[in-house]
Structure formats: C-alpha cells, structure tokens
Amino acid sequence: MQKPQESESKGEGKEVLREKLKRKLALVEAALYVAGRPLSLSDLCSILKTQSKDKAKKIVEMLAREYANRNTAIEILELKDERYVMQLKSEFAPYVKKLIKRPLLSPGPLKTLSYIAIRQPISQKKVIEVRGRHAYTHIKVLKEMGLITIEKRGRSAMLRTTDYFADYFGLSRDITTMKRELKKILERETSEKSQMEDA
Amino acid sequence: MQKPQESESKGEGKEVLREKLKRKLALVEAALYVAGRPLSLSDLCSILKTQSKDKAKKIVEMLAREYANRNTAIEILELKDERYVMQLKSEFAPYVKKLIKRPLLSPGPLKTLSYIAIRQPISQKKVIEVRGRHAYTHIKVLKEMGLITIEKRGRSAMLRTTDYFADYFGLSRDITTMKRELKKILERETSEKSQMEDA
Amino acid sequence: MSIEVKKPFYLRPPWNILFELHKLEKISPWSINIAYLLMSFLEEMKKMGQIDFRASGVALDSSAFIYLMKTKLLLKLQEPPKPPKVILDYVPPPLIVPLRHELTSTTIRHLLEVLDEVLKNETILINRFEKTSMRPILPDPSVIVPQVEYYLMEIEIQMERLYATLCNMVKGSGIIEFSKLIKGLPRLEAIRTFILLLFLAQREKVGLWQDENSGEIFITIGGLNAEAPRI
C-alpha cells in the first residue's frame, strides 16, 4: 500500500499481459488452423509480428501443451527443423474419412503438377508443349497454391515444386530423392496394374 | 453398501459414460475439423453411429459451448436448418489470410460470385455485360471450384450457385432465402465500410 | 499520225484495275491477285513483242499501291476490338470467405495415376515431333512479308549511285539512251534501273523522254532537265 499507484499499475499490467498472451495463443492457433500444413518459426514470427523465434517457440509450445491437456481429436505437433502442425489424431481418421470430399486440385491441374514434379526443373515452354495451352492457367493456379515456384531466367521460366508440395504428398524435399521416390512408386504401381490385368 | 456390486458397477458406469461422452465429443470435433463445411445432424449421426438426431444435437451443442468457453480463435456455429460448422472467428482472418494457399480468394472472382448469387438464375451474357470480359475467367474458375453450375439453354447459358456454395458460405440452400440472407450480409458490409470511410 | 488509237490490251479487264485505280474504291484489295495480274500482263506484252515501260511502270506503281492497301487492312484487323459496353447494375461487394480448415482428398496415388497418363501423352508427342522432323509449318516470315523498310532504305542508296553514274557518263550534263545504260545488264537489273530512273524523274533529277517510233528512252541530266519533255 506504500506505492498504491505503482501496485495498481502492476495489477493492470498483469491483466493486460494475460490478455496479450491469450491473443498471441489465439493468433498461433488461427495460423495453424487455416494453414493446414506445418509452419516454421519464421512463419509464426511474421504472424505474431515479432523477430524473436524464442518468443514464437514459447507461444506455440504453450498452445501445444494446452491441446495435449484437452486431449481431444486435434493435436499440435512439433516436426523436424522446428516446424509445427495442427492435425487430426490419426486414430480418428478412419471414422471421418468419408467426410473428406474436396480434392486438392481438379484433374487437369493435377496432371500438370505431376508432370512438373517428375520432370523438374522444367521450362514453362516445355510444360505447355506437352500439356497444351490450357496449362498456362494450371501453372498460375499451382503457383497461387504454393505448390510450384516459377523462376525467370531471361525470357524463359523454370518450374519446380515447393517444400509444401513435398510435405503434402509425404515426399522428400530434396528434388533428386523426390523424383526417385516418385519413379519407384510409379513403377511399382504400373507393374501391379499389369499383373492384375494379366491375372 | 447393501448392493455393493450394483454401486460398484454404477461407479464404473459413470466413468465409462464420461469416457464415452468424451469420445463422442472428439468424434464430432474430428468430423467438423476435416469437413471444413457445415455438417447436418444426419452427417453427425452417421459419424456417431446413432439414429437419434437429438443425441447428435446435444453432443455438437456441448462441443460448441466448450469452444465458446475456451474463447480462442476457432468457433463452432449453428447455421440454418440445423447444420453446424467449425471456422475461424472472422476477426482473426486478416492476420492469417496470407497463409492460405487456395486460389479462390481474390476479390475479382468473389465479386462476380456475389453478383451471380444475388441475381441468380442469371444468363452468362448478362454477367459478362455487367462485370466485363474478364468475368469469363471468373466463371470458369467458379465452375471448377464447384461454386456455380452452368446450364446450357440453346445458345445461352444460365448460371446458378450450388449447394456447396450455400454450405461454404453458411447460407440457406433455398435460393429465395439465400438471397434474403445475402442482401442482409452485404448491406451490413456496405454500411460498415461507409462508416469506416466516414470516420 | 493515226487519229484512231487502238485501246491497249491492258485497259481491258482484268488488267484495267491496275490502270484505273478509282475502281479500287468499290472492291476489296484482297480480291485482287497481284501476282497473277502482273504475270499475265508481262506474258501478254511479250506476245505483242513490244515492251511498254510506261505501262509497266504504272502497273508496278498500282501494284505497290494495292499492296499497301492490303497491308493497311491487315494492320486495321490487328486493332484491338472495342471494349464491350458495360451495363450498369448493382454489383455487391465480394463475399467474405469464411476461413475453415478442410482436409483434401487427393493422395499420392491420385498424383501417380494422372502422371502415368501424362507420360504416355508425352511419349506420343515426342514421336510425332520426331516424325515431322522439324519441318517448319509456315514459310519464313521474311518470305511472306517483304522487308519494306530495308527496301526503301536501299532504294535511296541505289538512286544516289545511279545518279552519280549518269552524271559521270555525261560529265555534268547531257543525254543518254536507256538502251546504252542497260547494255549487258541482266533483264532483272535492267528493270530495276528503269524503276530507279522513274524515282529520279519523279524527283526531277533527270528527265525521261521516249521516242514513239523506236521506243528508245532518252535520259536527260543536268541543265538539260528543264527543257526535257516529261513522260
């Protein structure tokens, strides 16, 4: 009571701090929820408008603990290289699978994407040659969705898949390894198919 | 102590019931999380493996209350015709919008969409006249995303929004009701905007 | 001198279009086959055994004019279409998109299924490409579109060169016969020289006069210009 003003302002400060923390937790939750993919600490920093990765890390780990304590169907996990993801606990997947109806992409753009993935880095010109002129729109959509990058090189443009693409399909982020993985699965599928057709 | 067995089983029963309830809440949460669109009580019944819509309603409303009490970034809303949806509270949208990798979001096509919605059924010709030639691309994109249907009638084409559109924006599937709802939302937005501009 | 002059063949259809340009106002220049007209014009003249350079010059000038008209029409076609009339109607503001997480159903399996199809298509395309073995579908654009600017630039230089030669030949001023000027030159070169002379005459650098009987053209240079009758 000696310094009532200060103590009062401290009390206020605590309240404000708690509200601020709550808001930060909500912002990280919002980010993880709408992104639907792993976010890096840099991503979270930019949402929290802070430059301190430590601060961002504290917030997201606090949120992850909160989710763990609630023990419901959704979890927040830390992945390798300090990325965080909100996801459905896998044990619930079989029960709700039938509700997942929306494809990532319609067949046209998906075809173009698969072609870029296996032939990357590939020039836009070549993609158009093989896939036709409508592929211009596909490339635009794929770029907007963050599935590919377009790198201008003089008059030509080179296309590559992004880390997001690799993460989505559970493939290696290293392009050489990814292409090997894709080819391996493709060969296995083709041989399985031909065996089935032979049978 | 007269009926120890019974009382024991009752105690067990409570524990079991609590666990069962928790699991049901988690199932509904899982369903709403993966669907990303409003789910009807029938949808929830099929996930909960019950035929009682009342039971399903109780569970989802309990979950909605829980979310409301937590007061974070995500909410569960009840829409018209007893449908429920999980979504980000709109106040958080501006902060995390940039993390979304879906191509729907540019204002041009959205404007064309809201115009079609409020004037439907409307001819493609009329939409082009009002919105300009670039609206051809908008119409194509909206069609691809399953938000509108194009019905050929001789040489003209009539545009309408789909049920998916109604679900996506949390509007009634009945066109007359939807238009009324839309007008209300859009009027509110316009007046909010003009207030902001006046301020 | 005969009073009744027989109408020359080229004033009859189809060649008359080259000599009566006012008729062009009524027809599309694209319906005129310049190559055919000029070829048949030359053949016809050859049959008659008499080369009329005046008619040839006019025919050439008209052809160039028709060609220019065609080019202008082409350029006109390339003008962007007028923007469609915008009809005013209340356009509501864009709808606010609710942000929801939604799992998508596309798996690596779907990706590979379509990849298989795309690769098959790629193989077909490569085979087709190899079969056609780089044969160009269209001729080189320079074959279709003559390099007008280059030609015009070139013509200035050629004119200067010819004028210098002429001045040199007459040592300042004098008269030269056309046949002497083109002696030993190949036919095409002779025609080119004639066209250059027409340009020079148009700029009043030289005078041209043709003898009715022999058909010989006399070129007057220098101070003789003023008195020389024009063609």
Side-chain angles (χ1 to χ4, degrees), chain B residues 33-36 85-88 100 102 114-115 119 129 167-168 182 186 189, chain C residues 84-87 89-103:
Chain B
Y33 176 72
V34 301
V85 69
M86 180 188 280
Q87 65 186 31
L88 188 76
I100 300 167
R102 253 175 291 155
S114 61
Y115 181 68
R119 289 275 184 266
E129 274 170 6
D167 289 352
Y168 196 93
L182 270 174
L186 295 170
E189 262 187 45
Chain C
K85 228 169 68 189
V86 175
I87 291 181
D89 188 6
Y90 164 70
V91 178
L95 278 165
I96 289 186
V97 183
L99 299 186
R100 296 170 192 147
H101 171 70
E102 183 181 356
L103 280 185

Side-chain angles (χ1 to χ4, degrees), chain A residues 81-139:
Chain A
D81 31 307
E82 296 194 311
R83 288 181 306 135
Y84 296 83
V85 67
M86 180 188 279
Q87 62 182 31
L88 187 75
K89 284 183 186 161
S90 57
E91 61 198 89
F92 287 94
Y95 303 101
V96 292
K97 229 174 164 178
K98 58 181 171 186
L99 293 170
I100 307 172
K101 283 179 183 164
R102 190 173 69 90
L104 176 70
L105 291 161
S106 54
L110 188 67
K111 274 186 187 174
T112 304
L113 176 63
S114 70
Y115 185 66
I116 294 169
I118 201 121
R119 289 279 181 261
Q120 66 181 310
I122 182 170
S123 71
Q124 175 163 303
K125 193 169 153 268
K126 175 83 199 194
V127 175
I128 302 295
E129 265 172 25
V130 172
R131 296 282 303 128
R133 293 194 65 78
H134 53 282
Y136 275 119
T137 322
H138 300 168
I139 289 169

Side-chain angles (χ1 to χ4, degrees), chain A residues 33 102 104 111 115 119 168, chain C residues 102 104-106 117 122:
Chain A
Y33 173 73
R102 190 173 69 90
L104 176 70
K111 274 186 187 174
Y115 185 66
R119 289 279 181 261
Y168 183 93
Chain C
E102 183 181 356
T104 43
S105 56
T106 306
E117 260 177 68
E122 187 194 38

Side-chain angles (χ1 to χ4, degrees), chain A residues 13-23:
Chain A
K14 258 186 196 168
E15 189 56 33
V16 170
L17 275 181
R18 203 181 302 138
E19 276 306 307
K20 272 193 178 169
L21 178 62
K22 217 177 160 197
R23 184 165 172 80

Side-chain angles (χ1 to χ4, degrees), chain B residues 12-39:
Chain B
E12 244 184 39
K14 259 186 194 167
E15 189 57 34
V16 170
L17 275 181
R18 203 181 303 138
E19 277 306 306
K20 272 192 178 168
L21 178 62
K22 220 179 157 191
R23 185 168 170 77
K24 281 175 189 165
L25 285 168
L27 272 173
V28 171
E29 188 184 33
L32 292 171
Y33 176 72
V34 301
R37 62 174 195 278
L39 295 178

Side-chain angles (χ1 to χ4, degrees), chain A:
Chain A
M1 296 292 282
Q2 278 174 323
K3 291 174 179 175
Q5 274 186 318
E6 208 179 52
S7 121
E8 222 180 273
S9 82
K10 253 190 187 169
E12 242 184 43
K14 258 186 196 168
E15 189 56 33
V16 170
L17 275 181
R18 203 181 302 138
E19 276 306 307
K20 272 193 178 169
L21 178 62
K22 217 177 160 197
R23 184 165 172 80
K24 281 177 190 164
L25 285 168
L27 272 174
V28 171
E29 188 185 34
L32 291 171
Y33 173 73
V34 299
R37 65 192 152 93
L39 294 179
S40 67
L41 281 181
S42 320
D43 292 328
L44 296 177
C45 279
S46 98
I47 297 297
L48 290 168
K49 295 205 168 57
T50 174
Q51 300 217 330
S52 159
K53 286 193 178 177
D54 277 350
K55 271 188 196 162
K57 194 178 162 76
K58 263 182 201 151
I59 304 282
V60 67
E61 283 180 352
M62 201 180 282
L63 187 72
R65 272 198 303 279
E66 202 189 274
Y67 266 73
N69 290 338
R70 277 174 62 220
N71 189 23
T72 61
I74 307 168
E75 62 187 354
I76 292 173
L77 288 184
E78 182 182 351
L79 305 178
K80 288 183 287 190
D81 31 307
E82 296 194 311
R83 288 181 306 135
Y84 296 83
V85 67
M86 180 188 279
Q87 62 182 31
L88 187 75
K89 284 183 186 161
S90 57
E91 61 198 89
F92 287 94
Y95 303 101
V96 292
K97 229 174 164 178
K98 58 181 171 186
L99 293 170
I100 307 172
K101 283 179 183 164
R102 190 173 69 90
L104 176 70
L105 291 161
S106 54
L110 188 67
K111 274 186 187 174
T112 304
L113 176 63
S114 70
Y115 185 66
I116 294 169
I118 201 121
R119 289 279 181 261
Q120 66 181 310
I122 182 170
S123 71
Q124 175 163 303
K125 193 169 153 268
K126 175 83 199 194
V127 175
I128 302 295
E129 265 172 25
V130 172
R131 296 282 303 128
R133 293 194 65 78
H134 53 282
Y136 275 119
T137 322
H138 300 168
I139 289 169
K140 203 173 151 245
V141 169
L142 297 171
K143 168 78 172 31
E144 276 175 7
M145 292 180 74
L147 290 162
I148 61 164
T149 58
I150 304 177
E151 193 194 320
K152 293 264 168 202
R153 273 198 205 163
R155 282 182 62 196
S156 78
M158 293 305 286
L159 311 184
R160 264 168 239 268
T161 59
T162 57
D163 284 350
Y164 171 53
F165 168 84
D167 289 349
Y168 183 93
F169 288 104
L171 295 162
S172 167
R173 288 179 166 199
D174 174 70
I175 283 182
T176 323
T177 320
M178 179 204 286
K179 281 163 83 170
R180 222 177 14 242
E181 285 173 355
L182 279 173
K183 271 176 198 153
K184 212 183 267 173
I185 312 173
L186 187 66
E187 274 160 23
R188 200 172 48 210
E189 294 241 331
T190 319
S191 79
E192 271 172 19
K193 223 186 218 171
S194 69
Q195 273 173 17
M196 271 172 70
E197 274 161 11
D198 289 348

